[in-house]
């Protein structure tokens, strides 16, 4: 092993298999789960009611998400009564609250992820680039750290990393949005105008689509927004529930010269649907025949996103791009499961219908945008660098009481660039925007570190609270044939051993491994003798606090014949973003450790496989903090900078 830092690192190898509980010495896997589907309408309705009332809705594949402990509810999740998906955790009465200290709460706040100064935040809204500034709008409660009184917060950045808070962009002050200015999207027109469509909840809690636009296009900060006097511009069509019709997309231009938008809804309570509306002036709309796409048994579609990708390109495409060599991505946030799903397919611009390449992995039943704690994502085309950028909302998994005490809730992920994976032809590639690399400080390299089966290797990098980790793994098989009864997908977490895995890194861990979050690969034997690999994150031992949701997340990731196992992991206090195989599979985790904080946070390699040794090569950067603060309007220098843009 070699280290390319000023300090030589020679971690001592010690045998310490990952345990299901700090005091247990057995690493036997836990196996088995059951999924019972009712066929009687009454029972199905009852099940749906129960799921909708759970504090942490089940993912679409129950075997890929395991929750450590069950919760009983004392109250319904906030937001359901308002006709919008639950945006906060309910109260729990069978879990003892942890005695958090102010120092623990302070540590949980991130250092380089965007979050408001205080209070509640959810979905990203209308991201765009204008006159040298990136704009991020977001759902925001100016009065509290829990969901409610939803307005549009506003922030700007020159580089997508350092942000300035601006005054609120839109507040609920009209009959058509008095119960909330909800999620929306921006469209940049060829003549330079900007139109913003957003959902308003009316004085009668009807979800309608409204139009807004900048008061002054010459203002690079877009400080003032005007609401169209003729709002609402779109109301729920006949047959659509008044409270299940929301989140308009960015518009795209059709071959007939008119614009289209899609709006999420559902039919018959179970059929997730995207409707298409046509307009020439953004104030008058016509519902087109049929639907853009619909998938049975996926429930209400929120935050629909629809955009083109180049199948042989290295740059992003404007939303209006059409023609050969282009496919379209359709993404929906599933209200029933709180999971973002996408599929890649073909858009027929004449019929305004979209068809998935693989119907077995259609929207809502196949690939996920992110396999972890992640929702309500939205993309935009960055015309300054010819790339498509993805934002996603990451909410808390602690209690509302904790959020109120610390005074804030929720973050946005690091913006990600999105490209079509032309090597597999089946996936998107998500990768942190290159600007985040400007935060990298000193780097340490570990080469060819051998991690024997059933062992953990400490990596001496000092404090491990803010990191950017690149890791590559090779496996050396120790057994000729495996006869183990291997559990599928991510199993019960990093303790669930199989022949070829799990192996990876332990982040936000303390020296005694009483708290840790494994990020790992789990290759499994298939019937034809090949390996099928899962990329996973295990939160079940991330915190000793009993009132925090802790799950095992993960999904299948293609590993091609000419590829090693590789991951990139961004660690930022209470959030961990993990990218497997160049971003084919991505997992966002929230962790709330009680001991692995500040100077006690450590980083380890681990290999809990039973039949392979692993050789690892890593490059690890300590990450600086980003500057995220109110815009300094009073400073002449910044006034001049704004004027120059």
């Amino acid at each position: 092993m070699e280290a390319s830092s000023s300090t030589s690192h020679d971690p001592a190898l010690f045998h310490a298999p990952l345990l299901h509980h700090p005091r247990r010495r057995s690493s036997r896997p836990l196996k088995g789960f059951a999924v019972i589907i009712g066929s009687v309408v009454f029972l199905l309705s009852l099940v749906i009611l129960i799921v909708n009332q759970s504090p942490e809705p089940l993912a679409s594949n129950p075997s890929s998400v395991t929750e450590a402990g069950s919760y009983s509810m004392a109250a319904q999740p906030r937001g359901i009564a308002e006709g919008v998906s639950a945006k906060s955790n309910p109260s729990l009465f069978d879990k003892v609250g942890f005695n958090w200290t102010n120092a623990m709460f302070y540590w949980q706040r991130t250092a380089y992820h965007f979050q408001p100064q205080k209070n509640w935040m959810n979905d990203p809204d209308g991201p765009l680039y204008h006159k040298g500034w990136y704009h991020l709008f977001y759902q925001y409660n100016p009065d509290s750290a829990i969901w409610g009184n939803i307005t549009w917060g506003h922030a700007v950045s020159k580089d997508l990393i350092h942000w300035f808070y601006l005054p609120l962009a839109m507040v609920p002050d009209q009959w058509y949005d008095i119960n909330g200015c909800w999620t929306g999207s921006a469209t940049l027109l060829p003549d330079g105008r900007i139109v913003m469509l957003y959902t308003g909840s009316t004085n009668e809690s009807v979800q309608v689509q409204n139009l807004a636009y900048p008061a002054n296009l010459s203002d690079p900060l877009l400080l003032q927004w005007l609401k169209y006097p003729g709002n609402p511009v779109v109301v729920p069509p006949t047959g659509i529930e008044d409270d299940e019709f929301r989140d308009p997309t960015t518009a795209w231009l059709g071959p007939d010269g008119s614009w289209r938008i899609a709006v999420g809804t559902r039919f018959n309570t179970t059929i997730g649907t995207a409707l298409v509306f046509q307009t020439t002036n953004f104030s008058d709309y016509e519902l087109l025949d049929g639907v853009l796409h619909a998938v049975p048994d996926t429930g209400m579609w929120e935050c629909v996103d629809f955009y083109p990708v180049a199948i042989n390109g290295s740059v992003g495409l404007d939303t209006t791009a059409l023609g050969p060599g282009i496919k379209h991505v359709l993404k929906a946030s599933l209200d029933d499961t709180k999971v973002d799903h996408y599929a890649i397919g073909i858009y027929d611009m004449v019929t305004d219908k979209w068809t998935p390449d693989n119907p077995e992995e259609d929207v809502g039943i196949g690939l996920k945008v992110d396999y972890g704690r992640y929702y309500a994502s939205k993309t935009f085309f960055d015309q300054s660098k010819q790339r498509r950028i993805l934002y996603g909302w990451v909410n808390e998994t602690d209690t509302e009481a904790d959020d109120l005490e610390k005074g804030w809730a929720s973050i946005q992920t690091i913006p990600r660039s999105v490209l079509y994976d032309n090597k597999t032809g089946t996936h998107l590639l998500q990768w942190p925007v290159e600007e985040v690399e400007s935060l990298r400080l000193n780097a340490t390299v570990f080469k060819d570190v051998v991690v024997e089966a059933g062992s953990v290797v400490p990596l001496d990098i000092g404090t491990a609270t803010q990191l950017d980790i690149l890791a590559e793994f090779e496996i050396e098989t120790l057994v000729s044939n495996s006869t183990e009864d291997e559990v599928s997908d991510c199993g019960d977490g990093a303790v669930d051993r199989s022949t070829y895995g799990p192996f990876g890194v332990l982040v936000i861990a303390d020296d005694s491994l009483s708290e840790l979050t494994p990020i790992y690969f789990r290759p499994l034997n298939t019937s034809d003798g090949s390996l099928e690999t899962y990329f996973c994150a295990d939160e079940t031992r991330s915190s000793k606090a009993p009132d925090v949701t802790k799950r095992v997340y993960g999904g299948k990731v293609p590993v091609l014949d000419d590829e090693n196992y590789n991951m990139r992991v961004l660690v930022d206090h209470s959030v961990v973003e993990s990218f497997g195989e160049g971003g084919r599979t991505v997992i966002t985790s929230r962790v709330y450790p009680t001991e692995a904080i500040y100077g006690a946070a450590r980083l380890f390699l681990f290999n809990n496989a039973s039949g392979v040794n692993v050789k690892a090569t890593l490059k690890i950067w300590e990450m600086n903090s980003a500057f995220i603060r109110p815009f300094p309007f009073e400073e002449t220098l910044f006034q001049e900078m704004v004027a120059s843009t």
Side-chain angles (χ1 to χ4, degrees):
M1 180 193 64
E2 301 174 357
S4 67
S5 149
S6 59
T7 303
S8 177
H9 297 272
D10 185 18
L13 182 67
F14 64 93
H15 292 270
L18 293 183
L19 308 177
H20 197 60
H21 186 278
R23 292 187 174 87
R24 287 185 60 186
R25 291 298 177 187
S26 171
S27 59
R28 303 274 307 169
L30 300 175
K31 304 185 179 182
F33 63 87
V35 177
I36 303 175
I37 302 175
S39 59
V40 180
V41 173
F42 174 76
L43 292 179
L44 179 58
S45 301
L46 181 60
V47 170
I48 292 172
L49 177 62
I50 293 170
V51 170
N52 283 340
Q53 290 183 332
S54 69
E56 198 57 32
L58 296 177
S60 57
N61 180 2
S63 65
S64 68
V65 180
T66 304
E67 184 171 351
S70 61
Y71 297 99
S72 298
M73 299 205 22
Q76 193 178 49
R78 190 179 307 275
I80 290 179
E82 289 83 354
V84 68
S85 63
K87 300 292 188 181
S88 60
N89 293 335
S91 301
L92 311 173
F93 66 76
D94 65 344
K95 291 290 180 179
V96 177
F98 188 78
N99 187 25
W100 298 101
T101 65
N102 288 335
M104 291 175 181
F105 280 147
Y106 186 81
W107 181 90
Q108 290 175 15
R109 191 169 175 90
T110 61
Y112 60 89
H113 283 70
F114 178 81
Q115 60 184 116
Q117 288 177 284
K118 62 180 181 178
N119 295 337
W120 169 271
M121 174 181 65
N122 54 278
D123 310 4
D125 291 318
L128 58 89
Y129 179 83
H130 177 68
K131 291 186 178 295
W133 292 91
Y134 293 100
H135 291 255
L136 173 62
F137 305 88
Y138 49 92
Q139 302 278 274
Y140 182 62
N141 183 353
D143 301 323
S144 176
I146 59 178
W147 186 91
N149 189 30
I150 294 301
T151 69
W152 275 36
H154 187 190
V156 292
S157 173
K158 284 286 186 178
D159 61 2
L160 295 168
I161 301 300
H162 304 285
W163 292 92
F164 293 111
Y165 303 119
L166 292 177
L168 299 176
M170 285 192 286
V171 299
D173 58 4
Q174 303 295 319
W175 71 266
Y176 50 78
D177 63 12
I178 196 64
N179 281 314
C181 296
W182 291 352
T183 303
S185 302
T187 300
L188 278 59
L189 303 183
D191 61 6
R193 288 181 297 160
I194 300 171
V195 294
M196 194 75 75
L197 292 170
Y198 71 98
T199 297
S201 181
T202 74
N203 55 346
E204 296 182 346
S205 296
V206 177
Q207 294 171 13
V208 298
Q209 315 315 318
N210 300 314
L211 171 65
Y213 38 83
N216 180 9
L217 268 177
S218 64
D219 174 15
L221 297 183
L222 300 176
L223 290 174
Q224 293 183 316
W225 288 80
L226 302 176
K227 297 176 183 179
Y228 176 59
N231 281 336
V233 294
V234 184
V235 299
T238 301
I240 296 298
E241 300 163 87
D242 287 348
D243 60 353
E244 301 291 356
F245 179 66
R246 53 187 176 267
D247 310 335
T249 66
T250 296
W252 68 94
L253 190 61
D256 58 359
S258 64
W259 294 86
R260 277 95 161 139
I261 64 166
V263 180
T265 186
R266 69 181 185 183
F267 288 130
N268 297 329
T269 73
T270 62
I271 305 173
T273 306
L275 300 177
V276 179
F277 294 83
Q278 179 176 283
T279 183
T280 57
N281 57 13
F282 287 91
S283 58
D284 300 291
Y285 291 80
E286 175 189 359
L287 175 63
L288 297 183
D289 291 337
V291 299
L292 178 66
H293 194 58
V295 182
D297 301 319
T298 57
M300 173 64 194
W301 284 8
E302 300 188 290
C303 303
V304 171
D305 204 4
F306 185 62
Y307 57 89
V309 288
I311 60 176
N312 288 307
S314 58
V315 298
L317 297 177
D318 182 84
T319 307
T320 62
L322 297 169
I326 292 176
K327 292 192 177 186
H328 275 73
V329 176
L330 179 59
K331 167 259 163 183
S333 300
L334 271 58
D335 191 17
D336 289 353
T337 61
K338 304 300 179 290
V339 174
D340 278 19
H341 283 266
Y342 78 91
I344 301 170
I346 300 298
Y347 169 55
D348 186 328
M349 65 188 74
V350 176
T351 63
D352 288 297
K353 302 293 187 293
W354 175 90
T355 304
D357 288 346
N358 181 2
E360 293 184 359
E361 291 200 339
D362 206 342
V363 179
I365 59 175
L367 299 173
K368 299 177 184 178
V369 178
D370 189 298
Y371 287 76
R373 189 73 174 188
Y374 182 93
Y375 196 62
S377 60
K378 183 175 294 294
T379 67
F380 77 102
F381 177 65
D382 173 12
Q383 69 271 31
S384 70
K385 292 192 174 182
Q386 301 296 298
R387 57 185 176 175
R388 181 156 292 274
I389 302 297
L390 171 71
Y391 287 98
W393 167 52
V394 186
N395 67 339
E396 307 297 321
T397 64
D398 58 1
T399 67
E400 281 193 354
D402 292 339
D403 294 344
L404 288 168
E405 187 169 349
K406 66 190 179 187
W408 58 269
S410 305
I411 63 172
Q412 300 288 334
T413 58
I414 292 299
R416 303 169 183 174
S417 62
V418 179
L419 290 171
Y420 177 79
D421 182 8
N422 54 30
K423 290 184 70 175
T424 64
T426 57
H427 285 63
L428 294 177
L429 296 175
Q430 303 175 50
W431 201 246
V433 293
E434 60 185 356
E435 288 89 339
V436 75
E437 298 171 15
S438 67
L439 298 178
R440 289 172 172 174
L441 299 174
N442 53 297
T444 305
V445 174
F446 298 92
K447 295 183 178 179
D448 298 334
V449 182
V450 176
V451 191
E452 295 180 354
S455 66
V456 175
V457 176
L459 297 174
D460 183 11
I461 61 168
T463 302
T465 289
Q466 297 171 210
L467 300 176
D468 187 352
I469 305 165
L470 289 175
E472 187 172 274
F473 302 89
E474 300 178 59
I475 59 176
E476 174 191 356
T477 303
L478 304 177
V479 294
S480 56
N481 291 297
S482 171
T483 58
E484 277 190 75
D485 180 20
E486 297 186 335
V487 176
S488 62
D489 53 64
C490 294
D492 290 312
V495 299
D496 202 349
R497 303 187 74 181
S498 61
T499 303
Y500 297 99
F503 58 83
V505 296
L506 305 177
V507 301
I508 309 295
D510 64 342
D511 283 325
S512 67
L513 300 183
S514 67
E515 290 182 329
L516 47 83
T517 301
I519 310 298
Y520 59 94
F521 290 102
R522 182 180 170 85
L524 296 169
N525 283 308
T526 62
S527 57
D528 63 4
S530 63
L531 290 179
E532 181 177 80
T533 301
Y534 289 81
F535 185 54
C536 312
D538 180 359
E539 300 173 352
T540 57
R541 285 181 56 192
S542 61
S543 174
K544 292 182 178 179
D547 54 349
V548 172
T549 301
K550 288 163 278 189
R551 290 184 165 187
V552 178
Y553 290 104
K556 192 183 302 183
V557 60
V559 182
L560 305 186
D561 291 341
D562 61 344
E563 298 174 340
N564 287 327
Y565 301 93
N566 68 80
M567 67 171 70
R568 182 178 182 182
V569 182
L570 297 178
V571 178
D572 187 7
H573 294 255
S574 62
V575 61
V576 181
E577 293 189 65
S578 306
F579 302 80
E581 296 302 303
R584 287 182 189 135
T585 299
V586 184
I587 308 169
T588 299
S589 305
R590 292 307 302 270
V591 295
Y592 305 86
T594 63
E595 296 184 8
I597 59 177
Y598 295 102
R602 295 286 183 265
L603 178 68
F604 298 83
L605 287 168
F606 83 98
N607 175 14
N608 213 25
S610 60
V612 299
N613 288 338
V614 173
K615 184 186 295 184
T617 295
L618 305 93
K619 189 168 187 179
I620 305 162
W621 291 268
E622 179 186 355
M623 295 292 276
N624 204 349
S625 299
F627 293 101
I628 304 176
R629 60 191 180 96
F631 194 92
F633 289 102
E634 70 285 353
E635 297 180 18
T636 303
L637 175 62
F638 280 90
Q639 293 174 355
E640 294 175 351
M641 179 172 65
V642 171
S644 68
T645 58

